[in-house]
Amino acid sequence: MSQGLTQTQQRTHSRFRWRPADIALGAALGVGCGLVFWGFNFAYMPISSVLGSILPGIASVLHAVWYFCGTLALLILRKPGAAVYVNVVGSAVEMLLGNNFAFTFVFISAILQGLFAELPFAVTRYRVFNLPMAVLSGLCTALEYGFYLLFFRYQGVALFSPRGIVHIISELVGGALIAGVFSWFLFVAIAKTGALDHFASGRAIRADAASQ
């Protein structure tokens, strides 16, 4: 009994332990996401202005471009803290390149988004990685970011006002589709190239593809 328990604990510890390869891949992923964040800063303003003129609040559907990498990091690395790590690295890159947002807003957002992206995976003790889990992760992040914006950026917008309701619904739709569905299929596409064969996530996808 005790020997079996020890072996289980060892496997769990090994699964949770960060290797140098995990740290390096997470850093590379964070840099890539930081470039996406930075580029999207320029695209968001004109696009959101057009969408906002059609229906105030609907532009929030695009916000997930700023937080999809947390879910993507968890799908690829499968380690506790992966979303927070990659988000923070990405935000650091974005700040170094320059943006219009305050330092504290960017980094607090990055940490909170990472923590909420981790929630569904943490509940399963980082054992389940599939499309539904990715969507749940995206929804959790969207819910957090939607309310974070209402409290700290959109103070003049009431939650139950038409704009507030559209904002939250749009945030959730974006979280599910961009942070959830898009992240899952991007991860699968990367894994199928063989780029992740040294990682458990990549081997799992390749094994599934081979068995079909």
Side-chain angles (χ1 to χ4, degrees):
M1 176 79 70
S2 60
Q3 183 177 0
L5 181 61
T6 301
Q7 291 175 346
T8 301
Q9 291 173 334
Q10 289 175 343
R11 286 195 297 269
T12 301
H13 176 72
S14 176
R15 184 160 50 83
F16 287 176
R17 187 178 66 247
W18 282 71
R19 304 169 301 162
D22 299 317
I23 297 171
L25 179 59
L29 185 59
V31 170
C33 289
L35 293 173
V36 172
F37 299 160
W38 178 74
F40 188 63
N41 289 338
F42 297 100
Y44 178 75
M45 291 308 296
I47 296 174
S48 64
S49 296
V50 173
L51 292 177
S53 66
I54 298 171
L55 181 62
I58 199 171
S60 298
V61 74
L62 301 175
H63 291 167
V65 176
W66 280 312
Y67 56 74
F68 78 95
C69 68
T71 300
L72 180 63
L74 286 159
L75 293 172
I76 292 176
L77 295 172
R78 299 189 172 188
K79 304 290 183 185
V84 175
Y85 173 51
V86 172
N87 277 4
V88 169
V89 172
S91 296
V93 171
E94 179 189 7
M95 293 299 294
L96 287 173
L97 293 173
N99 68 19
N100 297 323
F101 301 104
F103 176 90
T104 51
F105 172 76
V106 171
F107 280 95
I108 291 175
S109 294
I111 293 170
L112 287 174
Q113 289 162 13
L115 290 173
F116 275 79
E118 302 249 357
L119 283 178
F121 297 99
V123 169
T124 68
R125 292 181 57 81
Y126 298 88
R127 294 179 184 274
V128 181
F129 298 90
N130 53 28
L131 177 57
M133 289 297 294
V135 172
L136 279 174
S137 176
L139 285 172
C140 285
T141 312
L143 193 62
E144 175 276 322
Y145 192 58
F147 280 99
Y148 181 79
L149 290 176
L150 282 175
F151 292 143
F152 297 105
R153 299 285 293 185
Y154 305 158
Q155 291 96 333
V157 179
L159 172 61
F160 294 108
S161 67
R163 183 178 176 182
I165 293 170
V166 172
H167 158 65
I168 290 294
I169 292 174
S170 299
E171 196 76 59
L172 291 171
V173 170
L177 295 181
I178 299 174
V181 176
F182 172 75
S183 291
W184 171 258
F185 284 105
L186 178 58
F187 154 62
V188 171
I190 295 171
K192 285 184 176 179
T193 67
L196 302 176
D197 282 357
H198 293 296
F199 299 85
S201 60
R203 292 192 296 271
I205 294 298
R206 299 268 276 182
D208 287 343
S211 64
Q212 293 176 356

